[in-house]
Amino acid sequence: MSIEVLLVEDSPGDVRLTQEAFRDANRSIKLHIASDGIEAMAFLRREGSHAHAPRPDFILLDLNLPRMDGREVLATIKADESLKTIPTIVLTTSEAEADILKSYELQANCYLCKPVQLDDFESVVRSINDFWLTKAKLPHKLRIP
Amino acid sequence: MKANVPDRIAPGAITAPQAREAAKKYLSQMEGRYRALLEAAPDAMVVVNQGGLIVLVNAQAETQFGYRRDELLGRKVTEIIPDGFAERLIADDLRSAADALAQQIGTGIELVALRKDGSAFPIELMLSPLESADGILVTAAIRNISVRKAAERHLAQMEGRYRGLLEAAPDAMVVVDQGGRIVLLNAQAETQFGYRRDELLGQRVTNIIPEGFAERLIADDLRSAADALAQQIGTGIELTALRKDGSEFPIELMLSPLESAGGILVTAAIRNISVRKAAERHLAQMEGRYRGLLEAAPDAMVVVDRDGRIVLLNAQAENQFGYRRDELLGQRVTSIIPEGFAERLIADDLRSAADALAQQIGTGIELTALRKDGSEFPIELMLSPLESAEGILVTAAIRNISVRKTVEKYLSQMEGRYRGLLEAAPDGMVVVDQGGRIVLLNAQAETQFGYRRDELLGQRVTNIIPEGFAERLIADDLRSAADALAQQIGTGIELTALRKDGSEFPIELMLSPLESAGGILVTAAIRNISVRKAAERHLAQMEGRYRGLLEAAPDAMVVVDRDGRIVLLNAQAENQFGYRRDELLGQRVTSIIPEGFAERLIADDLRSAADALAQQIGTGIELTALRKDGSEFPIELMLSPLESAEGILVTAAIRNISVRKAAEKQLAQMESRYRGLLEAAPDAMVVVNKDRVIVLLNAQAETQFGYRRDELLGQAVTNIIPEGFAERLIADDLRSAADALAQQIGTGIELTALRKDGSEFPIELMLSPLASAEGVLVTAAIRNISVRKAAEQQLAAKVAELNRSNLELSQFAYIASHDLQEPLRMVASYTQLLSRRYKGKLDADADEFIGFAVDGASRMQRLIQDLLAFSQVGTKGKDLIDASSEEALKQALRNLQAAIAQSGAVVTHDGLPNVLADEGQLTALFQNLIGNAIKYQSPGTPMVTVSAVRNAEKKWLFSVQDNGLGIEPKYFEVIFGMFQRLHKRNEFAGTGIGLAICKKIVERHGGTISVESEPGRGSIFRFALAGSNGNPRISAKDN
């Protein structure tokens, strides 16, 4: 069974890197991409072109997004009864203490920094896979009629 | 009735029948006459037989006794004449017939008869015998003598009274017969004429009244009896009478005829009119005087008759009412006194004549009188009754009381004022009667004693002034009223007064007598002298202190009399001048103050006592004094006048001013130096008094402010320093003088000063207090800090510029490195991916190219990381707190674990202190230095030692010593620069920013980093950090 992961990331380069890293880590992961917050919400709510979008098993969220930034997306997800149970991991370049605190305040499930080095980046992705998608238990999907 | 009755007829003597017939006829004739006579008799006739039975009565008897004839006949006569008849008979029997015949009615016996109805009446009984055939009968003529009895009684009464009157008459009464002889006289006549009665009886009246009597008689004869009877004493003729002793006296003779059996007698009433004559003369005299008095009476006198008409008036009445006498006489009194007169009369009628007469002018009724011209005026009316021949007249004394009314009004006004004065008097006023009782008091007395007025009136004065009042009265009695009135409050007697609540207070009592209608009253003025008493006590106390002060005074005190002689001095004077007290007393003051004292006195005379007293030591005149031993010393003399019983004395306070003189000299010297300093001071100096007015300034002040000296003196300091001076003063008040004096220019307050031309310049103001005679002055040192301000501003601007620049740089460095990370990450990542995925899949050039790209990207990443780290030393630096440098070192070693293990380096350290540091940065510092030490190793085992020692500045000087390659001295500075490397990339890794970061960290911590090294002999990197010593946080300087 595939694992649906929503990656909310505006940098195409980072997107590809992440895809490559997850592919290496776990082939059953199906990575969905939303390049900004609006698209992310539309995907999650299955609006518009995302009407048939699957419900992700967890979300990887970059903070610095155009239009609707990651913090707002996080807040929205965690305020939404039907979405807040989806584990949301902040994956961002920012090491700012303020961002870390804010994210956890907004009920992020985890905060990870994107390492600058490729190897380190790949290692982090593997860790995500190991921990969140393998060891941690995720809530069952809710079938929405 | 004379009855021709024959002589006694003998019983039984009968004559011849003829004779008997004649006798019978005669008898019957006589009997008829007799019966007629009997019946006609005015008196009651009753014939009684020997048995006492009534045998015959007449009608009059019936009437008298109230019986019918038939009722009387045969009755015993004693039934109608109870007693006496028989006796009369007996009496009559003893009389001879002759006597009986001779007896008249009127000389019979008086008896009491009894009527039928039982009532009695007096009778006169006349009996005569009547011979009859039946024997002797008794004829009783009974006359009712009631009237006569009454008349006789009355006559007897009158006679008695008459005699009594006659005897008692004040006048001599003499009855003279037709022969002019005195037939009757009374006792008064005896007295008047000096004769005994028997000497005068029978005398000719002319013996006592020589002339005029006869004439009087004649005169009287011409008068009718009626006239004579009507005449009274008082309207008789005046004659001269002659006493027995030959002396004469005037008489008034009043005659009246008196019919008597002996013919017309003349009753003469003789009044000795000596007294009356005298009285008449006196009366005439008095009458003259009286009329004079009446006329002269100050009051209008008006006599009014029963009808209210004026019958008499005096000249004053004419004046008062403006009428002529004849105009008022006969007028109704209501013309002049419209109302009240009648009422007054009525009122007066209720008073006895005695009261009326006793009344004086002044207690009459007040009415309004009306003048002829119609004007009115107030009068007082006094009435008294006056008996006169015309009846009761009313004498009215009329006093024009206009003046008195005015006076009364005035008096009541004065009384009102007096009462007002009494009430308003500051002292308690109490009037006491002779019994010692309070009869009057004022409000102040109420207040003083705490009583209400009614509570004190009638009280004994001893209730409020227990003792001393009576004694005072006695004392006062010894003084004349003049003295009493002349005495003032202040010289009275001091006593103790008692309030209602029982509390006492001292008083001064002043008494003066007050004559009143109620006798002598005593007016007491009572002054509460509590305050004065207290003042006196205080004064005595002060006097004691004063004497004490005099003796204790630091200055010599000398009192001098008018002649310039010393009369009093204190101990200090003895000391100063070296004399004993007794040696100086009486001496001329010039012995001790040779010159100037007199002049001073003269000068002082020109000053008022007030000024003299107000002067203090310090402003007196300076003179030279002379000691006993001849030595001189400078003094300051202060004089004040002293009033005493002996006249004006002069108190001299003498201060030895030797010391002060010396001080003054010194002061003058200092003053000139000071002035020199002031003028020479580089700063503007301005002295300001407590009113913030400039009292002194120096040349610099003139220059600074652009004023001339005289333009600034007297100006308010706010004219040159608008704001802040006062605030500074206030601030300075909080500092002690010591602090103020210690303060230097440079720590004053910065204010804005104003030049004369209106331009402003910044100043620094330094204030210090300056004690002076005028109080505390403030010395202001004013430094023009325009230049300094400009420099400060410039500096501030530069610093701001630098700060901004630094900030920009910091931000730039951060932003740059941070934002560069992202694209660089892409490049590095993808080149690595490329390398990974396509290595060996493309040609060798491609591999090499990719390799360089990857390498380049990696390097760039590292550079940017280092740059970021470098910039973060400042931007992410934390406050310096108490940090364990040992812990930082240990963390650094942990971080270097891999490198240490790989190189086999041995790192040792001493016990490292706590320092004020950002522990993270300290770790980074150690990590860099030790990392370098390991990296730039010589062959062999790298040895690194970390230690710390205290340096001269009490900081911890850390040393990181290694046995590495060492550094050439020419590079000592350079190596701390950014990205400076001394080795090739392929020799040693690293960006070359490590030491720059170390330097930045150390400098952030307030220290400097240095290196001591020799190539081949290792290096020692040193840096100093402040010990924490438990100090609280200190923010590091950002740079």
Side-chain angles (χ1 to χ4, degrees):
Chain A
M1 183 160 81
S2 66
I3 298 166
E4 310 289 341
V5 174
L6 174 64
L7 172 64
V8 187
E9 172 61 66
D10 67 320
S11 159
D14 269 319
V15 166
R16 187 65 201 273
L17 278 175
T18 311
Q19 280 174 325
E20 291 298 321
F22 267 107
R23 192 181 300 138
D24 288 345
N26 186 343
R27 284 199 170 268
S28 62
I29 288 170
K30 198 149 177 244
L31 207 62
H32 299 273
I33 313 298
S35 55
D36 60 49
I38 305 287
E39 203 183 338
M41 295 316 302
F43 182 90
L44 288 167
R45 292 194 174 123
R46 299 182 184 158
E47 290 164 0
S49 59
H50 300 291
H52 301 290
R55 181 182 166 80
D57 291 301
F58 74 88
I59 301 164
L60 286 168
L61 180 62
D62 185 18
L63 288 180
N64 297 313
L65 301 168
R67 290 212 284 168
M68 186 180 177
D69 89 341
R71 297 165 194 81
E72 214 180 314
V73 172
L74 177 61
T76 309
I77 290 168
K78 292 304 177 184
D80 189 325
E81 287 293 319
S82 61
L83 299 173
K84 70 181 183 183
T85 53
I86 304 172
T88 306
I89 295 158
V90 172
L91 182 63
T92 187
T93 50
S94 170
E95 289 176 13
E97 183 62 34
D99 286 332
I100 301 169
L101 183 63
K102 187 74 180 169
S103 300
Y104 279 110
E105 278 177 355
L106 293 173
Q107 306 291 297
N109 295 83
C110 185
Y111 189 102
L112 289 165
C113 287
K114 284 187 213 170
V116 287
Q117 297 287 330
L118 177 62
D119 293 341
D120 296 330
F121 182 76
E122 287 171 339
S123 170
V124 164
V125 170
R126 275 200 297 280
S127 295
I128 290 171
N129 178 61
D130 280 347
F131 181 79
W132 283 99
L133 301 175
T134 310
K135 294 202 171 63
K137 296 289 182 203
L138 302 179
H140 291 297
K141 294 183 202 210
L142 288 170
R143 289 280 170 210
I144 295 156
Chain B
M1 167 195 75
K2 270 189 185 158
N4 198 10
V5 181
D7 291 319
R8 192 187 296 258
I9 304 170
I14 307 197
T15 61
Q18 237 174 352
R20 207 173 43 229
E21 243 355 282
K24 250 198 197 158
K25 196 170 137 188
Y26 174 75
L27 205 67
S28 138
Q29 197 182 21
M30 290 315 291
E31 196 259 346
R33 284 191 201 161
Y34 181 72
R35 193 182 296 111
L37 274 169
L38 194 72
E39 288 304 320
D43 299 316
M45 300 298 282
V46 167
V47 181
V48 176
N49 67 7
Q50 282 181 317
L53 294 167
I54 300 164
V55 297
L56 196 70
V57 294
N58 69 347
Q60 196 56 248
E62 287 182 303
T63 308
Q64 290 271 18
F65 292 97
Y67 285 99
R68 282 198 323 275
R69 197 174 302 238
D70 59 299
E71 286 176 322
L72 277 175
L73 290 171
R75 207 177 271 267
K76 277 204 178 281
V77 71
T78 48
E79 283 185 46
I80 59 172
I81 300 166
D83 300 315
F85 197 93
E87 294 80 355
R88 181 66 174 165
L89 276 172
I90 297 165
D92 275 355
D93 271 345
L94 298 174
R95 291 187 297 129
S96 70
D99 298 332
L101 287 162
Q103 238 178 340
Q104 299 267 350
I105 288 282
T107 55
I109 194 170
E110 289 185 15
L111 299 168
V112 176
L114 198 61
R115 285 195 196 92
K116 177 181 180 181
D117 64 13
S119 60
F121 63 96
I123 56 166
E124 186 183 51
L125 190 67
M126 263 306 305
L127 297 176
S128 22
L130 183 63
E131 285 188 25
S132 77
D134 301 311
I136 300 287
L137 299 175
V138 178
T139 309
I142 303 165
R143 177 166 287 180
N144 183 344
I145 55 167
S146 309
V147 174
R148 195 177 79 193
K149 273 311 208 185
E152 280 179 0
R153 272 197 304 277
H154 183 76
L155 196 67
Q157 204 177 32
M158 293 310 293
E159 195 271 339
R161 277 192 208 162
Y162 176 74
R163 189 179 312 110
L165 276 171
L166 191 71
E167 287 306 318
D171 299 319
M173 303 294 283
V174 163
V175 180
V176 174
D177 68 9
Q178 284 177 324
R181 292 187 186 272
I182 299 164
V183 297
L184 194 67
L185 67 148
N186 67 354
Q188 193 57 244
E190 290 181 293
T191 310
Q192 293 268 19
F193 294 99
Y195 288 96
R196 275 196 333 272
R197 200 173 296 233
D198 57 290
E199 286 175 322
L200 274 180
L201 283 167
Q203 286 288 322
R204 286 194 174 274
V205 70
T206 45
N207 287 356
I208 58 172
I209 300 166
E211 289 167 20
F213 196 92
E215 295 79 355
R216 182 68 178 167
L217 273 172
I218 294 164
D220 274 355
D221 275 345
L222 297 177
R223 292 185 299 134
S224 70
D227 297 337
L229 288 161
Q231 238 174 348
Q232 297 273 343
I233 290 282
T235 55
I237 196 170
E238 290 183 11
L239 302 168
T240 306
L242 190 63
R243 287 198 194 86
K244 180 179 179 180
D245 64 9
S247 61
E248 292 180 342
F249 62 97
I251 58 163
E252 188 184 50
L253 188 67
M254 263 307 307
L255 302 177
S256 16
L258 181 68
E259 286 188 27
S260 75
I264 301 283
L265 302 176
V266 178
T267 307
I270 304 163
R271 179 164 283 179
N272 183 344
I273 56 171
S274 316
V275 175
R276 194 177 79 194
K277 276 302 199 190
E280 278 178 2
R281 272 195 306 277
H282 183 75
L283 192 70
Q285 199 178 32
M286 291 311 294
E287 196 268 344
R289 282 192 209 161
Y290 174 74
R291 193 180 305 110
L293 278 171
L294 186 73
E295 288 307 315
D299 298 317
M301 305 293 283
V302 163
V303 181
V304 174
D305 68 10
R306 307 216 94 191
D307 299 324
R309 292 190 186 273
I310 297 164
V311 297
L312 193 70
L313 64 148
N314 67 352
Q316 191 57 244
E318 291 180 296
N319 292 342
Q320 292 273 14
F321 292 98
Y323 287 94
R324 280 198 324 276
R325 196 171 299 230
D326 57 293
E327 286 175 315
L328 275 178
L329 284 169
Q331 286 293 316
R332 285 192 178 281
V333 71
T334 46
S335 317
I336 55 169
I337 299 167
E339 288 168 20
F341 197 95
E343 296 80 352
R344 182 64 173 166
L345 273 174
I346 293 165
D348 275 358
D349 273 348
L350 298 174
R351 297 181 295 140
S352 71
D355 296 336
L357 289 162
Q359 244 176 339
Q360 298 275 343
I361 288 282
T363 55
I365 193 170
E366 288 184 12
L367 301 168
T368 306
L370 189 65
R371 288 198 194 84
K372 180 178 180 181
D373 65 9
S375 60
E376 293 181 340
F377 61 97
I379 56 162
E380 187 183 47
L381 188 68
M382 263 309 307
L383 302 178
S384 13
L386 180 67
E387 285 190 25
S388 75
E390 305 131 298
I392 302 279
L393 304 178
V394 178
T395 306
I398 304 164
R399 178 165 286 182
N400 184 343
I401 54 170
S402 316
V403 175
R404 194 176 81 193
K405 275 290 182 204
T406 311
V407 170
E408 277 177 2
K409 202 160 67 176
Y410 175 72
L411 202 69
S412 107
Q413 199 178 33
M414 290 312 291
E415 195 268 341
R417 280 189 211 161
Y418 172 75
R419 194 183 306 114
L421 278 169
L422 189 74
E423 287 304 316
D427 297 316
M429 301 293 286
V430 164
V431 181
V432 174
D433 69 9
Q434 287 175 325
R437 291 191 184 270
I438 298 165
V439 297
L440 194 70
L441 66 143
N442 68 350
Q444 190 57 247
E446 290 181 294
T447 310
Q448 289 200 346
F449 293 99
Y451 285 95
R452 280 196 328 272
R453 198 170 297 230
D454 59 292
E455 289 175 317
L456 275 180
L457 285 170
Q459 284 290 321
R460 286 192 174 283
V461 70
T462 44
N463 286 358
I464 54 170
I465 300 169
E467 289 167 18
F469 196 94
E471 294 78 354
R472 181 67 176 166
L473 274 172
I474 293 165
D476 275 357
D477 274 348
L478 298 174
R479 298 180 295 137
S480 74
D483 294 338
L485 290 163
Q487 243 174 340
Q488 299 277 342
I489 288 277
T491 55
I493 193 170
E494 288 186 11
L495 300 167
T496 304
L498 191 63
R499 286 196 195 88
K500 180 177 179 179
D501 65 13
S503 60
E504 294 182 337
F505 61 99
I507 57 163
E508 188 182 48
L509 188 67
M510 263 310 306
L511 301 177
S512 15
L514 180 68
E515 286 190 25
S516 78
I520 301 277
L521 303 176
V522 178
T523 307
I526 303 164
R527 179 165 286 184
N528 184 342
I529 53 168
S530 313
V531 174
R532 197 176 78 195
K533 277 308 208 183
E536 282 176 2
R537 273 195 302 274
H538 183 73
L539 194 70
Q541 200 179 33
M542 292 311 293
E543 195 271 337
R545 281 191 208 162
Y546 174 75
R547 195 178 309 112
L549 279 171
L550 188 74
E551 285 307 316
D555 298 318
M557 302 291 286
V558 164
V559 181
V560 174
D561 69 7
R562 310 215 93 188
D563 300 323
R565 291 186 187 276
I566 297 166
V567 298
L568 192 72
L569 65 146
N570 67 352
Q572 192 56 243
E574 291 181 297
N575 291 342
Q576 292 270 16
F577 294 98
Y579 285 98
R580 276 198 328 273
R581 199 170 296 229
D582 58 290
E583 289 177 317
L584 277 179
L585 286 168
Q587 287 294 317
R588 285 193 177 281
V589 71
T590 45
S591 316
I592 54 168
I593 300 169
E595 289 167 18
F597 196 93
E599 295 78 353
R600 180 69 175 165
L601 273 172
I602 293 164
D604 275 357
D605 274 348
L606 298 175
R607 295 182 297 140
S608 72
D611 296 336
L613 289 161
Q615 246 174 335
Q616 300 275 344
I617 288 280
T619 56
I621 194 170
E622 292 188 10
L623 300 169
T624 306
L626 190 63
R627 287 199 194 83
K628 181 176 179 181
D629 65 11
S631 60
E632 294 182 338
F633 62 99
I635 57 160
E636 186 182 50
L637 186 68
M638 261 307 307
L639 302 178
S640 11
L642 182 68
E643 284 190 28
S644 77
E646 307 131 297
I648 302 276
L649 304 175
V650 178
T651 307
I654 303 163
R655 181 166 283 184
N656 183 342
I657 54 170
S658 315
V659 175
R660 195 175 81 193
K661 276 296 190 195
E664 277 178 2
K665 203 158 70 172
Q666 165 108 21
L667 197 71
Q669 203 175 30
M670 293 308 295
E671 194 268 341
S672 70
R673 279 192 210 163
Y674 176 75
R675 194 182 306 115
L677 276 170
L678 189 74
E679 288 305 317
D683 295 318
M685 302 293 283
V686 165
V687 180
V688 173
N689 71 6
K690 62 181 188 308
D691 297 325
R692 316 279 162 85
V693 168
I694 298 166
V695 296
L696 193 69
L697 63 146
N698 68 352
Q700 191 57 241
E702 290 180 293
T703 309
Q704 292 272 17
F705 292 97
Y707 286 95
R708 281 200 321 276
R709 194 171 301 230
D710 59 292
E711 288 176 318
L712 275 180
L713 284 168
Q715 285 286 324
V717 70
T718 44
N719 287 356
I720 55 168
I721 300 168
E723 288 167 20
F725 196 94
E727 293 77 1
R728 181 65 175 168
L729 273 173
I730 293 165
D732 275 356
D733 274 348
L734 300 173
R735 297 182 297 141
S736 72
D739 293 338
L741 289 162
Q743 240 174 343
Q744 298 278 340
I745 289 283
T747 54
I749 193 169
E750 291 187 11
L751 299 168
T752 306
L754 191 64
R755 287 198 196 85
K756 180 176 178 181
D757 65 10
S759 60
E760 294 181 339
F761 61 98
I763 56 162
E764 187 182 50
L765 187 68
M766 263 310 304
L767 302 177
S768 17
L770 180 69
S772 79
E774 307 141 282
V776 179
L777 304 178
V778 178
T779 306
I782 303 165
R783 178 165 288 183
N784 186 339
I785 53 170
S786 314
V787 173
R788 192 174 82 195
K789 273 301 201 199
E792 277 177 2
Q793 268 164 8
Q794 221 170 17
L795 189 65
K798 272 217 162 58
V799 166
E801 181 70 39
L802 269 166
N803 280 343
R804 201 168 32 78
S805 172
N806 281 348
L807 189 64
E808 268 179 13
L809 272 166
S810 289
Q811 286 174 339
F812 180 77
Y814 175 80
I815 291 162
S817 53
H818 185 271
D819 290 346
L820 283 171
Q821 289 264 22
E822 177 62 28
L824 194 54
R825 192 160 62 80
M826 295 294 108
V827 168
S829 299
Y830 281 104
T831 49
Q832 282 175 38
L833 275 171
L834 267 173
S835 168
R836 206 190 286 164
R837 200 166 289 184
Y838 295 104
K839 196 165 189 166
K841 291 188 180 151
L842 297 171
D843 63 8
D845 283 342
D847 288 344
E848 198 179 347
F849 297 159
I850 289 167
F852 284 131
V854 167
D855 190 44
S858 298
R859 266 191 300 115
M860 200 155 137
Q861 276 187 327
R862 280 197 295 280
L863 273 167
I864 286 178
Q865 279 169 15
D866 285 346
L867 196 62
L868 199 59
F870 179 83
S871 80
Q872 283 177 351
V873 170
T875 59
K876 285 204 174 162
K878 299 198 178 70
D879 287 345
L880 306 184
I881 57 169
D882 176 31
S884 165
S885 59
E886 188 147 334
E887 277 306 311
L889 177 63
K890 284 181 176 160
Q891 181 61 39
L893 292 175
R894 281 195 285 274
N895 293 346
L896 289 166
Q897 210 172 12
I900 291 168
Q902 194 181 21
S903 66
V906 174
V907 182
T908 56
H909 62 88
D910 296 340
L912 296 175
N914 277 22
V915 291
L916 282 174
D918 174 343
E919 193 162 319
Q921 288 181 352
L922 196 56
T923 303
L925 177 62
F926 282 126
Q927 192 171 333
N928 272 312
L929 289 173
I930 296 168
N932 281 354
I934 294 170
K935 189 162 45 171
Y936 297 104
Q937 62 178 301
S938 305
T941 308
M943 305 284 283
V944 183
T945 311
V946 181
S947 59
V949 292
R950 285 269 198 200
N951 71 356
E953 291 149 19
K954 297 280 171 67
K955 286 190 176 181
W956 287 102
L957 187 67
F958 287 83
S959 304
V960 179
Q961 189 171 10
D962 66 52
N963 60 350
L965 294 174
I967 303 159
E968 285 180 59
K970 64 183 177 185
Y971 297 127
F972 282 176
E973 301 279 333
V974 159
I975 55 173
F976 291 105
M978 284 225 275
F979 303 124
Q980 295 295 330
R981 305 195 72 240
L982 300 178
H983 303 278
K984 292 198 214 104
R985 225 176 339 106
N986 54 1
E987 288 170 341
F988 292 99
T991 54
I993 207 166
L995 283 174
I997 289 174
C998 290
K999 179 164 179 258
K1000 194 165 180 192
I1001 288 172
V1002 168
E1003 280 172 2
R1004 187 173 177 268
H1005 284 67
T1008 50
I1009 193 164
S1010 64
V1011 64
E1012 187 191 317
S1013 183
E1014 211 185 301
R1017 295 171 74 102
S1019 312
I1020 306 175
F1021 282 87
R1022 291 195 180 86
F1023 58 91
L1025 292 178
S1028 63
N1029 300 328
N1031 279 357
R1033 293 168 156 260
I1034 294 177
S1035 291
K1037 279 195 198 278
D1038 243 298
N1039 57 344

